[in-house]
């Protein structure tokens, strides 16, 4: 098993921390993982992206042309990366912000209004957690418990409500991902 | 210790601390800033000292001073910053002092770009400064290897009384990957006691002097010793990885990040029935010449040098080792542009199927 995940959106949407937590949960699940943030002047323009590769065996190239799953949190990210997804891959897009019509027929598409759901749960910041939940639900790449423990580490010093809200968001995403199977 | 997910630059910094490094001086430059940032709080924790120098020149000379005292000292920078340190490196070698210098390289020449590149190979392996001295150059390709090599570099530097260079491109510096750290080394001055300038309480010896200035006759002898040292490196200290080489007809030669991308491409080429292998120099200097000498040239049809450099810089060393027994091709990106598994696959495939010029 080897999966390369491309997370993309804009600064503040939790792209980098979401990707980091995915890689961290993979390592804690005894898998191999690499996390490659996109860095450079472009980052200051507001876009954020990272590539996370998760594998049962040693990861050779962390630089991959095509990813097996793509999370696009806004229109700009969708337009920039929809061609980077392998045929048969999983595309998870933020239905609240991606306005283009999805033209690719050779990939599985999950369009989730994660901003709306996040506000319903109580905080717009947790939209990315819903998307990661959907990824876990649809791909089974990591267990819910592994990712939850990574969230716990990140928010250890915050109020318990924060952790609770993240757990609800993750479960909501997992349910959406599983329903799509 | 359990495996932790860590960034390349930070992993090197922690490995240096565990290897006994207790002094760092450096000047900020992307993409290596996490090394000084980490050491700025980590070194004081273990009783070491961190200095943000006013320049690269000042920083390497502070390392020079700390090394003279027998302290395990290091600096890190990126390509243009390393160029500024070359005078100091020459002085370190001239004075026979150990130190670790880390180059997290970026695209050049000039100020170039902050994006990753492997365009400092020639500088690192041929002339890390004026005066004809050489340094051992280690080029890790995974973060675990970066940790393990950093841990050992100080020992090599002290053994040889010569600076050691760790060369790793900016992409490996930025990647996070799981690493496992070796234990903290016991601090001792065993490796430097015979020459270091530190005078401990109760010691009665005469003051010592260390100098990079010699009369001609002595300097020539010193340089003969350096030539001997280089020979010994070639005999004893070469490190190289051979990947799928047993039946290889086409041999990729690549180091660092390029070797990792090449391995992925090679696995895909093997699936298509192409007999491709990889020679990955881990020590760029001493270069693994013997590995090339030991190949069966009835079997090997061509070499492909793959680097983040245009033109390829390792090619000269490959050509010298191959001695015309097979053609050498090259593929690379430069200026901070990266290749990926597919473009490397295509480049090798073209040569394997006879499409290359």
């Amino acid at each position: 098993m080897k999966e390369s995940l491309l997370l993309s959106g804009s600064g503040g949407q939790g792209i980098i921390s979401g990707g980091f937590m995915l890689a961290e949960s993979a390592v804690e699940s005894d898998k191999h993982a690499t996390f490659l943030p996109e860095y450079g002047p472009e980052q200051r323009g507001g876009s954020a992206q990272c590539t996370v590769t998760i594998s049962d065996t040693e990861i050779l190239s962390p630089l991959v042309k095509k990813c097996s799953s793509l999370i696009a949190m806004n229109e700009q990210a969708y337009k920039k990366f929809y061609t980077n997804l392998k045929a048969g891959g999983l595309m998870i897009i933020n239905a609240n912000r991606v306005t283009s019509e999805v033209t690719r027929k050779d990939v599985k598409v999950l369009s989730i209004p994660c901003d709306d759901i996040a506000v319903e749960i109580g905080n717009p910041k947790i939209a990315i957690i819903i998307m990661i939940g959907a990824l876990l639900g649809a791909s089974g790449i990591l267990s819910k418990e592994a990712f939850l423990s990574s969230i716990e580490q990140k928010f250890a010093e915050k109020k318990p409500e924060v952790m609770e809200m993240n757990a609800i968001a993750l479960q909501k995403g997992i349910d959406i991902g599983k329903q799509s199977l | 210790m359990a495996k932790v997910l860590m960034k390349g630059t930070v992993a090197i910094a922690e490995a240096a601390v565990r290897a006994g490094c207790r002094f760092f001086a450096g000047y900020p430059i992307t993409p290596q800033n996490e090394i000084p940032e980490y050491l700025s709080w980590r070194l004081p924790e273990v009783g070491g000292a961190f200095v943000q120098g006013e320049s690269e020149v000042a920083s390497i000379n502070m390392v020079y001073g700390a090394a003279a005292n027998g302290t395990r000292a290091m600096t890190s920078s990126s390509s243009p910053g390393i160029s500024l340190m070359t005078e100091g490196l020459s002085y370190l070698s001239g004075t026979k002092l150990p130190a670790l210098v880390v180059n997290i390289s970026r695209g050049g020449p000039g100020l170039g770009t902050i994006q990753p590149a492997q365009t400092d190979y020639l500088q690192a392996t041929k002339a890390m400064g004026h005066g004809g001295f050489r340094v051992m150059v280690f080029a890790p390709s995974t973060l675990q290897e970066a940790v393990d090599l950093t841990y050992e570099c100080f020992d090599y530097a002290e053994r040889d009384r010569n600076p050691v260079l760790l060369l790793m491109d900016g992409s490996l510096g930025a990647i996070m990957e799981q690493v496992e750290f070796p234990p903290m080394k016991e601090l001792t001055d065993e490796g430097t006691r015979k020459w270091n300038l530190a005078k401990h309480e109760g010691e009665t010896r005469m003051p010592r002097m260390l100098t990079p200035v010699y009369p001609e006759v002595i300097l020539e002898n010193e340089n003969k010793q350096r030539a001997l040292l280089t020979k010994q490196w070639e005999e004893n200290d070469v490190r190289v990885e051979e990947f799928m080489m047993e039946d290889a007809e086409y041999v990729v030669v690549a180091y660092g990040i390029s070797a990792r991308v090449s391995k992925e491409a090679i696995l895909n080429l093997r699936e298509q029935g192409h007999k491709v292998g990889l020679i990955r120099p881990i020590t760029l200097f001493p270069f693994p010449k013997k590995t090339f000498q030991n190949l069966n040239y009835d079997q090997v049809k061509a070499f492909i040098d793959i680097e983040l450099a245009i033109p390829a810089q390792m090619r000269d060393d490959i050509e010298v080792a191959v001695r015309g027994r097979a053609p050498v091709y090259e593929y690379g990106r430069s200026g901070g542009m990266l290749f990926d598994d597919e473009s490397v696959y295509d480049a090798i495939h073209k040569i394997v199927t006879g499409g290359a010029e």
Side-chain angles (χ1 to χ4, degrees):
Chain A
M1 189 281 298
K2 184 187 166 192
E3 298 278 343
S4 51
L5 323 166
L6 177 55
L7 283 72
S8 59
S10 56
Q13 283 186 309
I15 303 296
I16 302 295
S17 38
F20 174 74
M21 285 192 285
L22 272 170
E24 197 176 52
S25 350
V27 170
E28 278 177 21
S29 315
D30 275 335
K31 291 176 191 287
H32 292 257
T34 60
F35 168 81
L36 177 63
E38 182 68 17
Y39 71 101
E42 192 187 33
Q43 204 169 14
R44 293 174 210 135
S47 76
Q49 69 180 82
C50 65
T51 307
V52 179
T53 307
I54 298 173
S55 172
D56 290 328
T57 53
E58 189 190 342
I59 294 163
L60 299 177
S61 175
L63 310 176
V64 287
K65 174 118 179 174
K66 295 217 162 145
C67 57
S68 47
S69 301
L70 168 70
I71 292 178
M73 288 297 281
N74 62 26
E75 173 70 8
Q76 194 191 5
Y78 168 78
K79 276 190 172 159
K80 195 168 170 190
F81 296 118
Y82 77 93
T83 54
N84 286 41
L85 185 61
K86 275 182 195 163
L90 173 64
M91 184 189 288
I92 308 176
I93 55 175
N94 180 352
N96 293 119
R97 291 182 197 237
V98 176
T99 50
S100 293
E101 201 179 322
V102 177
T103 48
R104 282 190 67 171
K105 305 289 177 214
D106 61 341
V107 296
K108 180 175 171 172
V109 181
L110 272 178
S111 181
I112 303 170
C114 61
D115 286 343
D116 289 348
I117 301 172
V119 171
E120 272 169 37
I121 294 171
N123 191 332
K125 282 189 199 164
I126 55 174
I128 187 72
I129 302 295
I130 298 163
M131 301 295 258
I132 288 172
L135 172 76
L136 301 192
S139 71
I141 187 170
L142 290 169
S143 73
K144 176 186 163 185
E145 290 69 30
F147 195 77
L148 269 180
S149 95
S150 193
I151 297 179
E152 264 167 34
Q153 279 184 26
K154 186 165 170 66
F155 297 112
E157 284 164 21
K158 300 259 170 121
K159 289 179 198 162
E161 294 95 270
V162 176
M163 185 57 215
E164 206 177 310
M165 220 186 286
N166 273 282
I168 294 169
L170 187 69
Q171 189 57 53
K172 180 75 188 165
I174 289 172
D175 293 343
I176 295 171
K178 279 191 175 156
Q179 277 161 23
S180 73
L181 292 175
Chain B
M1 193 187 160
K3 287 190 167 156
V4 285
L5 185 69
M6 212 175 239
K7 198 168 187 167
T9 40
V10 176
I12 286 174
E14 176 60 26
V17 169
R18 284 167 187 258
C21 175
R22 289 297 178 269
F23 180 82
F24 178 99
Y27 189 78
I29 183 170
T30 305
Q32 62 82 52
N33 285 323
E34 298 86 352
I35 296 177
E37 192 278 330
Y38 184 87
L39 292 175
S40 69
W41 60 266
R42 183 70 171 114
L43 275 175
E45 258 186 13
V46 293
F50 168 89
V51 182
Q52 180 170 318
E54 67 269 41
S55 70
E56 285 85 353
V57 176
S59 301
I60 189 77
N61 281 294
M62 287 186 227
V63 168
Y64 184 47
N69 219 26
T71 303
R72 290 200 157 184
M74 75 177 279
T75 185
S76 64
S77 191
S78 181
S79 310
I82 292 290
S83 287
L84 291 167
M85 290 179 175
T86 53
E87 182 202 45
L89 265 155
S90 182
Y91 275 60
L92 275 156
S93 185
T95 313
K96 294 200 283 188
L97 289 174
L100 172 63
V101 176
V102 178
N103 182 359
I104 305 294
S105 63
R106 57 188 246 179
L111 200 56
T113 168
I114 62 170
Q115 301 296 343
Q118 295 181 308
T119 36
D120 296 345
Y121 178 94
L122 286 172
Q123 181 195 47
T125 58
K126 310 296 177 201
M128 208 49 259
H130 68 277
F133 73 98
R134 310 295 278 271
V135 298
M136 287 185 82
V137 182
F138 292 91
S141 83
T142 66
L143 298 197
Q144 186 61 54
E145 196 173 46
V147 165
D148 296 341
L149 290 176
T150 303
Y151 197 66
E152 289 179 76
C153 276
F154 290 96
D155 293 333
Y156 282 114
E158 271 178 19
R159 182 196 69 181
D160 300 336
R161 291 185 63 181
N162 201 49
V164 169
L165 186 77
L166 189 85
L167 180 63
M168 189 164 100
D169 82 285
S171 72
L172 280 175
I175 281 171
M176 292 183 114
E177 195 164 34
Q178 69 264 49
V179 291
E180 203 168 352
F181 286 104
M184 278 279 189
K185 270 187 191 165
E186 292 274 333
L187 284 185
T188 138
D189 69 345
E190 207 184 320
T192 70
R193 197 179 297 149
K194 288 192 180 130
W195 54 262
N196 80 49
L197 300 184
K199 205 166 181 182
H200 301 296
E201 227 177 85
E203 229 176 337
T204 53
R205 64 170 170 78
M206 293 291 286
R208 290 168 175 160
M209 189 177 78
L210 288 164
T211 176
V213 185
Y214 294 95
E216 294 82 343
V217 180
I218 297 175
L219 184 55
E220 187 185 48
N221 275 331
E222 290 290 338
N223 287 340
K224 281 179 183 168
Q225 289 303 312
R226 276 194 190 85
L228 200 63
L229 186 62
T230 306
K231 275 224 155 39
Q232 284 166 356
W233 291 344
E234 282 175 352
E235 285 299 317
N236 309 319
D237 298 320
V238 169
R239 292 199 199 187
V240 60
E241 182 196 357
E242 294 183 45
F243 178 76
M244 303 200 140
M245 279 298 293
E246 214 146 86
D247 61 345
E249 294 174 352
Y250 294 87
V251 179
V252 174
V253 190
Y255 69 94
I257 185 73
S258 301
R260 285 181 75 158
V261 182
S262 297
K263 277 184 185 175
E264 192 91 46
I266 288 167
L267 287 182
N268 294 332
L269 284 152
R270 284 265 170 185
E271 274 179 26
Q272 304 300 316
H274 300 296
K275 291 179 177 170
V276 187
L278 169 80
I279 295 177
R280 177 174 75 89
I282 300 167
T283 48
L284 301 184
F285 192 82
F287 190 74
K289 286 181 202 160
K290 275 187 192 155
T291 308
F292 290 83
Q293 276 160 23
N294 295 338
L295 293 176
N296 174 3
Y297 284 86
D298 293 328
Q299 179 184 306
V300 174
K301 293 178 180 159
F303 292 86
I304 309 144
D305 177 4
I306 294 180
E307 295 177 50
L308 288 174
I310 298 175
Q313 301 195 355
M314 188 166 56
R315 185 172 180 153
D316 293 355
D317 285 334
I318 299 169
E319 299 260 21
V320 167
V322 170
R323 289 193 284 135
R325 287 172 286 190
V328 180
Y329 299 94
E330 66 179 69
Y331 169 70
R333 299 296 302 269
S334 182
M337 299 299 290
L338 298 173
F339 40 51
D340 54 52
D341 50 344
E342 285 187 25
S343 54
V344 169
Y345 175 98
D346 290 343
I348 302 171
H349 188 260
K350 206 170 161 186
I351 290 157
V352 168
T353 52
E357 283 153 28

